[in-house]
Amino acid sequence: MRVGVLTGGGDCPGLNAVIRAVVRKGVQEYGYDFVGFRDGWRGPLEADTVRLDIPAVRGILPRGGTIIGSSRTNPLKHENGIRRIKDNLSKLEVDALIVIGGEDTLGVATRLTDEHDVPCVGVPKTIDNDLSGTDYTFGFDTAVNIATEAIDRLHTTAESHMRVLVCEVMGRHTGWIAIHSGLAGGANVILIPEQRFDVQKVCDWVTSRFKASYAPIVVVAEGAMPRDGDLVLKDQSLDSFGHVRLSGVGEWLAKEIERRTGKEARTTVLGHVQRGGTPSAFDRWLATRFGLHAIEAVRDGDFGKMVALRGTEIVRVPIAEATAELKTVNPELYDEVGVFFG
């Protein structure tokens, strides 16, 4: 059997660990041949490949990013995109695809499997942790650790100058990174997309913090929205899946805080630093287990499924089910951490 592997969407720590596990087990135990498709769905669209064998994956476990590249290419937006993919898979004699990605990348895999009989197995990848079919996605833990370290560092400079520091983190339309890193880093305010925020209430929390002779740290997810307003964006352009490029709420909020409280406020946008660098131990562990179970699903012919973490077990769930809706922060969890606000 010849198996194709692709990594789509935004890069994140742990992608290489999945590729390594898939190839190591597939070659050593099943005798499979592997081909990597470059740059996400662009690879099968254009038959752009790289050979994946055991020497190719040696030493990549601790490396961030992906050795086969990634992109936000949407083949459904290309003329005859599905037909081109099927033709190229046939020419390359690829019998199955392991698709490593988030909501959009796996959504394409669902269409290919359910509507066009292309055998795909999914692996959940996103720093946002917003796939409903799995308890955790790899990449999330590393992003939280990076954001937490940044918040720790911001505390010292905030205290030195007695100014407000607003830290904007990623997460798109969910607040998992914000709430985990904000709680772990001792933030005084955490703002998430699931709960619209009252700017004046934020300013009241900031003022209360100053009265206690401490400088406040505000953590805001890039998709958070004020109660009386819309999504704050610096860039109105859309990617190939129709998503806006989020960012800008942190800078806007800092200006509002400074205007309403008279206290100096600065913004730190962590941005892509959350995606980069070596994966955490947990992400290496999770990504490796996902890879091992993904190649088992290929061996079993269990296509249209995504490997997922449920508790401590790796299970298989339909890709369509896993990507049907976003996994959002429960209001009860947000209320739980609210005791530390202000």
Side-chain angles (χ1 to χ4, degrees):
M1 176 176 277
R2 194 172 211 209
V3 181
V5 181
L6 67 84
T7 55
D11 68 291
C12 79
L15 285 166
N16 288 323
V18 179
I19 297 169
R20 171 181 174 269
V22 164
V23 173
R24 286 284 298 272
K25 185 165 186 174
V27 171
Q28 292 173 192
E29 295 198 9
Y30 307 141
Y32 292 167
D33 186 35
F34 289 89
V35 58
F37 286 102
R38 294 183 184 275
D39 304 334
W41 286 114
R42 187 191 69 79
L45 265 176
E46 301 178 8
D48 189 358
T49 65
V50 57
R51 180 174 175 78
L52 290 178
D53 52 19
I54 289 181
V57 301
R58 186 171 294 134
I60 68 172
L61 177 63
R63 286 176 56 182
T66 166
I67 62 169
I68 56 178
S70 189
S71 74
R72 297 190 184 277
T73 301
N74 183 357
L76 304 179
K77 294 291 182 68
H78 289 252
E79 186 175 359
N80 299 319
I82 298 299
R83 173 53 55 190
R84 288 166 58 189
I85 288 176
K86 293 186 70 173
D87 288 346
N88 286 331
L89 293 178
S90 178
K91 291 175 184 177
L92 294 166
E93 299 181 327
V94 172
D95 303 296
L97 273 179
I98 292 179
V99 180
I100 311 167
E103 175 192 9
D104 297 322
T105 302
L106 294 178
V108 174
T110 299
R111 292 279 300 274
L112 284 171
T113 300
D114 293 348
E115 300 176 18
H116 302 280
D117 297 321
V118 177
C120 296
V121 169
V123 178
K125 175 271 336 168
T126 169
I127 66 169
D128 305 327
N129 197 41
D130 60 1
L131 288 175
S132 59
T134 183
D135 289 350
Y136 286 99
T137 55
F138 71 87
F140 171 67
D141 184 71
T142 304
V144 168
N145 286 338
I146 291 169
T148 300
E149 181 181 354
I151 295 165
D152 287 345
R153 292 175 181 273
L154 290 176
H155 274 290
T156 59
T157 186
E159 297 293 344
S160 296
H161 295 274
M162 290 303 289
R163 59 165 65 113
V164 185
L165 286 183
V166 178
C167 180
E168 181 183 301
V169 300
M170 284 183 164
R172 294 202 62 78
H173 300 294
T174 62
W176 292 109
I177 294 176
I179 200 164
H180 278 247
S181 64
L183 182 62
N188 312 112
V189 182
I190 303 171
L191 306 176
I192 63 175
E194 293 87 345
Q195 301 280 337
R196 283 182 174 260
F197 62 88
D198 182 334
V199 179
Q200 188 54 52
K201 183 65 175 178
V202 172
C203 291
D204 291 343
W205 283 327
V206 164
T207 301
S208 173
R209 184 70 172 173
F210 276 117
K211 288 180 179 178
S213 299
Y214 287 100
I217 302 292
V218 178
V219 173
V220 56
E222 60 186 358
M225 291 184 288
R227 183 174 297 168
D228 301 317
D230 298 318
L231 196 63
V232 180
L233 300 172
K234 292 175 63 176
D235 184 351
Q236 299 289 335
S237 62
L238 305 178
D239 66 17
S240 62
F241 287 94
H243 300 307
V244 293
R245 291 175 169 85
L246 296 176
S247 188
V249 66
E251 184 176 344
W252 175 86
L253 181 60
K255 291 178 180 178
E256 281 295 307
I257 291 172
E258 190 166 286
R259 182 178 69 84
R260 296 187 186 209
T261 68
K263 299 292 186 180
E264 184 182 9
R266 301 287 181 86
T267 307
T268 297
V269 180
L270 296 186
H272 287 78
V273 71
Q274 294 159 95
R275 293 190 181 279
T278 188
S280 67
F282 179 81
D283 278 340
R284 297 185 203 189
W285 174 88
L286 181 59
T288 297
R289 292 192 70 200
F290 277 162
L292 296 175
H293 283 261
I295 196 61
E296 284 184 3
V298 170
R299 178 204 59 184
D300 295 342
D302 196 8
F303 300 116
K305 299 292 181 62
M306 183 191 83
V307 293
L309 181 69
R310 296 282 177 84
T312 59
E313 301 298 317
I314 305 295
V315 300
R316 299 173 192 170
V317 298
I319 302 176
E321 175 187 313
T323 58
E325 61 182 11
L326 290 180
K327 180 178 67 180
T328 56
V329 175
N330 190 309
E332 293 180 0
L333 176 60
Y334 189 70
D335 291 342
E336 184 178 299
V337 304
V339 67
F340 295 107
F341 294 178

